[in-house]
Amino acid sequence: MNEPMSLFDDVPEEQEEQFEAPERRLPMVVLGEMVIMPHMTIPLQVPQGKSYRAMERAWDEDRDVLLIFVREHQLEGYKSNQPQNLPLIGVIAQLQEFAKLNDGTARVILEGQSRAQIIEAVQITPFYRVRCRPVTDPVVTGLEVEALMETVKQQVDEFVEHLGEVPQEAVQFVHRIDRPGHLADIVTWGPAFDFKDRLEILNTLDPVERLRKAYLVLARQLELLKLRVKIQQDTKEVLDQSQREYFLREQLRIIRRELGEDEEGDDPIDELRRKIHELNAPEYVKNQALHELKRLAQQGMNNPESGVIRTYLDWILSLPWADEELPEISITEAQKVLDADHYGLEKVKERILEYLAVRKLAGDKLRSPILCFVGPPGVGKTSLGRSIARALGRKFVRTSLGGVRDEAEIRGHRRTYIGALPGRIIQAMKNVKSKSPVYILDEVDKIGLDFRGDPTSALLEVLDPEQNNAFSDHYLEIPFDLSKVIFIATANQLDPIPLPLRDRMEIIEIGGYTEDEKLEIARGFLIPKQREFHGLTDDQIEFTESAILKLIREYTREAGVRSLEREIASLCRKVARQVAEQTEANGEAPPKVVIDEAAVVKYLGPERFTFGMVEEQDEVGVATGVAWTSAGGDILSIEVLPFKGKGQLQLTGQLGEVMKESAQAAVSYVRSRAADFGIDPNTFEETNIHIHIPEGAVPKDGPSAGITLTTALISALTGTPVRRDVAMTGEVTLRGKVLPIGGLKEKTLAAHRAGIRTFILPKENAKDISELPEKVRRELNLIPVSSMDEVLRIALSRMPAPANSQNGSHANNNRGQPSPAPAGA
């Protein structure tokens, strides 16, 4: 390309001599980055300016203008009369149309005529006018020229074949061109040429050289076009119309490969592959993940199933597969933690420390037994698990199983279901981000069973030390090692837990607290905790011992301390409001609030429960029994009323089937021993018996009230009062034998709380007395018995005389007519 000349420089003499065409003085039009070649017709819209005025003058003259083509950044110089160097070559074009529009612009049609060599500018304002000399292509012939032209025409055909949507008339026009310069000018307008290529071809005056340059550009663009088509063909085999996202990614990957670049930057597939390779997990886990990743890559990120696969891979990548280094177990430190967190529970703490000691000595050889804490609510079962985690330096996780009825809650759903997820076990392991936490399975006794499967059966694999090293979740379908997890189950009752599941756990029973233990727990744990929680200090609130005892005795009735804590919190709220209001009103803190018995009544209202014995005096036909409930133990009165009738038995108080059978057994026993107790045998034919257990809205069941029912029945039929300070429990047989019962600790605690002094229990339960709290053993007169005769000698104020004895007539005369004896009789 020739060097550009200054706007006002003269053309050198040797160049002037090369052109034979006459010089012309033409208005000059400056166009931006577009090139109008000779023999081409182009419509334009021209705004006001020098080029507009130049075309306007040319339309009035001979309609010829000189076109020059410059970069966009050079246009401002021409508009402001400060142009840069004028190009050497322009194009003479003829105005075919010049129509002025209402918006001040003009619509023009320009037809390129020939190249022109620019000599000099002869006018600047109001438009440019230059002196130029037209340049015509010489006639060139020869085999080489013909071969070059045919090659270029074939290139045009290939472009049309790849691009399509090109009018056939345009292709035929190209084939009719017989001059190399004309052919070069025409093909230059195609999409393969940019502004730089067109400008270079415009400035090439030799027609053969011009065509050769066009050939080189076409050849380069054809190679790129063929490569693009090859990329599309390589990727299209594994794609469909819905996989556009994957299609673009594959194109990018192949382009990078062709360019020799091997960068795996923002591609999500590559990112997942990197994470899988970096995952600290067994090989079978990585292999499964890579297999799913391959499926994802084949289907594409836009496929409907890709979300399912991506979620599955995210679960695999987020689970703790690797073993972790755990701190060494310190028995001394563990004991300190347990003592700091829990008052009492000595037997339970001792068993936990034994468990930790075995883990410390056995290490990985130990197949950990699964501990199961069984006890009423509020006694600290879950918090014991949290303390064990703190003592071991492990993470703590808890899952509540209450109300779970679907096996998939434990094992997870298979991925064929919409919205499938792993089970609660795997979800908890993901959340805790540890392979060896302390895992609390809360409320294991409240798992249900329905048509969706048996969740307790799914728990068998979780809690079996021989199997849980390869736990199989339906969603993952990869074995997950749970053997390093310390599982601790909690339950309120033992009976609802299926035997196979119970067999895999070591049961540790946690009974209720005594009054003294509750007092110490309130002082050392509950009051400081609630005081801090409510923003109070020692100088603002103080609890007296009598107030705490009043809360325990008359505002709560429970085995644990949960309700006690709620009442303490309620008192703290009352005081917190009082402190806030007085501080706001006076600007200074009020004096310390002392919570005594009067303050408890003031803030909490009247007492909710009666403390002491159920009966105010010894009564005929009323015996005190004890019952076990899920919330601990409780005492109950059993009332028997005989009246004239036809020998019917009536039972009220919402009794269960077993308790009804106990009542019938008691009647049968008393009837068989009527003569021994001084009861007329005809009484049972002439008297109706009504047995009632108060609090009729509360369901009651179980055989342990058998001796209580029998005692109340004998008392009612003989008119003998029952001692009010005696409570009893035990199942009775038709022969009067007393059989063992369960829940002795809870029952004795309830009796002790009620102020009972003598407690009758089955002889076979005597071995359990050592497990009772020391205060209960010291303050309760625990009497084991084996027969009803022993029970009656203790419970009744006097032993009924046989019918043939001296007092027999007296006993029979009182039959059916209860007459209360004086208290303490």
Side-chain angles (χ1 to χ4, degrees):
M1 184 184 298
N2 298 323
E3 292 294 328
M5 60 181 293
S6 175
L7 183 60
F8 301 104
D9 287 349
D10 292 333
V11 180
E13 294 182 0
E14 58 270 22
Q15 288 191 8
E16 291 180 347
E17 297 175 356
Q18 293 177 0
F19 297 94
E20 297 179 357
E23 294 182 0
R24 301 187 64 182
R25 293 174 179 266
L26 298 175
M28 186 178 76
V29 175
V30 182
L31 298 180
E33 294 187 359
M34 63 174 298
V35 179
I36 300 177
M37 291 290 188
H39 313 293
M40 296 181 62
T41 301
I42 299 296
L44 293 174
Q45 189 167 350
V46 183
Q48 290 284 345
K50 288 180 177 293
S51 295
Y52 180 94
R53 291 190 289 272
M55 292 184 185
E56 187 178 31
R57 177 60 62 85
W59 184 255
D60 295 335
E61 295 176 351
D62 59 0
R63 301 187 180 184
D64 285 345
V65 294
L66 179 72
L67 306 178
I68 67 170
F69 315 100
V70 298
R71 297 282 186 182
E72 292 290 341
H73 67 273
Q74 296 175 321
L75 284 175
E76 291 299 324
Y78 287 98
K79 292 178 182 178
S80 60
N81 298 330
Q82 296 177 351
Q84 298 181 5
N85 294 340
L86 197 66
L88 293 177
I89 302 297
V91 173
I92 297 174
Q94 188 177 66
L95 281 167
Q96 300 294 327
E97 179 182 336
F98 183 82
K100 296 180 180 180
L101 304 177
N102 294 332
D103 60 356
T105 63
R107 184 180 66 249
V108 301
I109 297 178
L110 292 171
E111 181 182 359
Q113 301 294 323
S114 65
R115 286 172 175 78
Q117 183 181 27
I118 302 173
I119 300 174
E120 64 175 350
V122 296
Q123 177 183 324
I124 297 179
T125 58
F127 56 85
Y128 290 110
R129 188 184 291 273
V130 296
R131 185 162 60 91
C132 61
R133 180 180 294 114
V135 178
T136 57
D137 291 341
V139 178
V140 182
T141 59
L143 293 177
E144 183 179 351
V145 174
E146 291 180 7
L148 182 58
M149 292 180 65
E150 286 299 322
T151 302
V152 172
K153 291 177 181 179
Q154 290 177 3
Q155 288 178 321
V156 172
D157 291 340
E158 289 187 45
F159 256 103
V160 171
E161 181 181 350
H162 287 300
L163 296 178
E165 299 182 1
V166 177
Q168 192 63 30
E169 295 80 2
V171 179
Q172 293 174 358
F173 173 74
V174 171
H175 278 277
R176 287 196 298 269
I177 297 175
D178 56 359
R179 288 177 295 159
H182 188 192
L183 180 60
D185 292 342
I186 293 299
V187 299
T188 302
W189 189 246
F193 296 80
D194 57 16
F195 175 73
K196 181 181 177 183
D197 296 331
R198 290 168 181 165
L199 196 59
E200 183 177 358
I201 290 174
L202 175 67
N203 292 333
T204 303
L205 300 180
D206 186 343
V208 178
E209 182 63 23
R210 191 189 313 156
L211 186 59
R212 187 174 290 110
K213 289 183 178 181
Y215 162 76
L216 293 176
V217 174
L218 285 171
R220 184 178 71 250
Q221 293 297 325
L222 268 175
E223 285 298 320
L224 290 176
L225 186 60
K226 290 178 180 178
L227 180 59
R228 189 179 304 126
V229 172
K230 178 178 179 295
I231 293 172
Q232 293 173 346
Q233 290 175 346
D234 289 345
T235 57
K236 191 175 181 180
E237 294 178 358
V238 292
L239 301 174
D240 55 26
Q241 293 181 352
S242 65
Q243 295 172 329
R244 180 174 177 274
E245 181 181 352
Y246 175 72
F247 174 77
L248 295 176
R249 187 176 62 253
E250 281 296 301
Q251 279 190 321
L252 179 62
R253 185 176 64 81
I254 296 174
I255 289 172
R256 285 175 175 173
R257 187 182 64 193
E258 294 292 341
L259 293 176
E261 300 176 359
D262 191 21
E263 298 179 359
E264 296 183 354
D266 299 329
D267 190 347
I269 299 293
D270 296 333
E271 181 70 14
L272 285 172
R273 183 178 290 106
R274 180 185 62 79
K275 289 182 178 180
I276 292 172
H277 286 301
E278 293 177 356
L279 182 65
N280 189 358
E283 282 302 316
Y284 65 85
V285 176
K286 292 185 177 181
N287 293 337
Q288 177 70 10
L290 290 173
H291 172 72
E292 294 296 327
L293 183 66
K294 183 178 179 181
R295 289 182 57 214
L296 180 62
Q298 291 174 346
Q299 295 178 1
M301 299 295 289
N302 204 34
N303 189 282
E305 195 179 350
S306 64
V308 177
I309 301 176
R310 181 64 186 267
T311 303
Y312 177 75
L313 290 174
D314 288 342
W315 273 100
I316 290 181
L317 293 172
S318 60
L319 285 172
W321 299 97
D323 294 333
E324 53 192 298
E325 186 174 349
L326 299 172
E328 186 177 354
I329 298 174
S330 171
I331 305 301
T332 305
E333 184 64 27
Q335 184 167 7
K336 290 180 181 178
V337 171
L338 291 173
D339 290 339
D341 291 350
H342 298 86
Y343 180 83
L345 304 179
E346 301 303 329
K347 295 284 186 182
V348 178
K349 291 179 185 177
E350 182 181 353
R351 177 62 189 90
I352 292 174
L353 292 174
E354 293 171 356
Y355 170 80
L356 297 180
V358 173
R359 288 195 68 92
K360 178 181 177 70
L361 297 178
D364 294 337
K365 295 182 292 183
L366 173 67
R367 292 294 184 184
S368 302
I370 309 301
L371 301 181
C372 180
F373 297 147
V374 179
V379 295
K381 300 184 296 297
T382 304
S383 61
L384 273 172
R386 189 176 282 107
S387 298
I388 293 173
R390 190 157 73 90
L392 293 176
R394 299 195 184 200
K395 292 185 178 181
F396 175 80
V397 61
R398 170 185 172 273
T399 295
S400 178
L401 300 177
V404 173
R405 295 179 176 274
D406 189 353
E407 181 186 355
E409 292 281 343
I410 306 299
R411 287 191 180 276
H413 300 82
R414 299 195 181 277
R415 281 183 287 157
T416 52
Y417 295 99
I418 297 175
L421 284 174
R424 295 194 182 193
I425 304 298
I426 295 298
Q427 290 184 36
M429 299 303 293
K430 174 194 173 185
N431 294 335
V432 78
K433 293 181 174 57
S434 172
K435 194 178 179 182
S436 51
V438 174
Y439 197 138
I440 294 291
L441 295 169
D442 234 348
E443 312 292 351
V444 74
D445 57 324
K446 295 178 178 60
I447 298 178
L449 171 65
D450 65 7
F451 64 93
R452 290 169 291 185
D454 184 2
T456 58
S457 299
L459 277 178
L460 294 179
E461 183 182 359
V462 176
L463 300 181
D464 191 342
E466 300 295 332
Q467 302 180 47
N468 62 11
N469 61 339
F471 172 68
S472 176
D473 186 274
H474 288 161
Y475 180 83
L476 288 182
E477 296 181 337
I478 307 175
F480 189 88
D481 187 5
L482 295 175
S483 61
K484 302 293 190 300
V485 180
I486 296 180
F487 285 104
I488 299 176
T490 71
N492 295 132
Q493 304 178 47
L494 197 58
D495 293 339
I497 303 176
L499 188 59
L501 182 59
R502 199 188 315 172
D503 184 60
R504 285 164 170 78
M505 300 187 294
E506 181 173 340
I507 307 301
I508 299 179
E509 295 191 5
I510 303 177
Y513 294 110
T514 64
E515 188 177 274
D516 289 347
E517 289 174 335
K518 289 183 180 181
L519 179 63
E520 292 300 325
I521 291 172
R523 282 174 173 171
F525 297 90
L526 304 183
I527 292 176
K529 173 184 173 183
Q530 292 301 323
R531 187 167 53 206
E532 179 182 359
F533 181 78
H534 289 85
L536 299 171
T537 63
D538 295 343
D539 298 331
Q540 293 173 325
I541 186 172
E542 178 184 346
F543 286 79
T544 65
E545 180 176 330
S546 61
I548 301 174
L549 288 174
K550 190 173 185 66
L551 289 175
I552 295 171
R553 292 170 175 175
E554 301 178 19
Y555 287 86
T556 62
R557 181 162 291 177
E558 58 176 346
V561 292
R562 191 168 292 157
S563 295
L564 177 60
E565 184 174 10
R566 280 196 288 265
E567 300 301 331
I568 293 172
S570 180
L571 290 170
C572 289
R573 285 196 300 271
K574 305 287 186 184
V575 174
R577 177 183 174 182
Q578 181 178 332
V579 170
E581 289 177 347
Q582 293 187 19
T583 303
E584 185 177 344
N586 304 329
E588 58 182 15
K592 179 190 292 186
V593 178
V594 177
I595 303 295
D596 53 16
E597 293 187 50
V600 171
V601 177
K602 173 185 174 183
Y603 289 127
L604 299 183
E607 296 85 350
R608 301 189 184 97
F609 302 101
T610 301
F611 176 74
M613 301 182 192
V614 178
E615 304 300 332
E616 296 181 357
Q617 60 184 6
D618 295 351
E619 295 279 353
V620 174
V622 180
T624 302
V626 287
W628 181 94
T629 68
S630 59
D634 201 359
I635 60 173
L636 50 88
S637 293
I638 295 180
E639 301 175 348
V640 178
L641 179 64
F643 54 92
K644 190 171 181 62
K646 299 181 179 180
Q648 295 178 346
L649 175 64
Q650 185 176 359
L651 304 172
T652 56
Q654 199 172 349
L655 310 183
E657 291 298 323
V658 177
M659 187 168 279
K660 290 179 181 179
E661 292 171 359
S662 293
Q664 293 169 354
V667 172
S668 297
Y669 168 74
V670 174
R671 195 167 184 174
S672 68
R673 296 280 309 276
D676 297 335
F677 301 134
I679 302 173
D680 185 353
N682 296 326
T683 300
F684 297 96
E685 303 296 336
E686 303 169 357
T687 305
N688 288 349
I689 298 175
H690 186 168
I691 298 178
H692 177 68
I693 302 179
E695 295 190 37
V698 180
K700 310 168 189 71
D701 201 4
S704 61
I707 64 173
T708 314
L709 286 164
T710 307
T711 301
L713 183 60
I714 294 174
S715 170
L717 293 176
T718 62
T720 307
V722 181
R723 291 172 53 190
R724 68 189 185 99
D725 63 342
V726 174
M728 62 195 78
T729 182
E731 180 180 357
V732 68
T733 69
L734 294 176
R735 296 175 295 166
K737 292 187 177 299
V738 181
L739 300 182
I741 46 82
L744 180 64
K745 182 177 180 181
E746 289 78 10
K747 293 176 179 178
T748 54
L749 284 172
H752 180 266
R753 183 171 61 241
I756 298 295
R757 294 292 176 263
T758 302
F759 189 89
I760 301 173
L761 68 152
K763 193 170 185 177
E764 292 188 35
N765 285 112
K767 60 183 182 300
D768 301 324
I769 293 179
S770 60
E771 302 293 329
L772 301 179
E774 182 181 353
K775 186 172 183 179
V776 173
R777 298 198 308 267
R778 185 174 66 249
E779 298 183 3
L780 266 185
N781 182 19
L782 301 168
I783 304 177
V785 297
S786 59
S787 68
M788 274 305 305
D789 290 338
E790 297 177 66
V791 173
L792 296 174
R793 278 194 290 269
I794 300 168
L796 298 180
S797 59
R798 60 178 182 273
M799 193 66 180
N804 56 1
S805 69
Q806 184 178 357
N807 298 326
S809 59
H810 173 77
N812 289 334
N813 291 336
N814 283 296
R815 180 186 43 172
Q817 303 296 328
S819 56

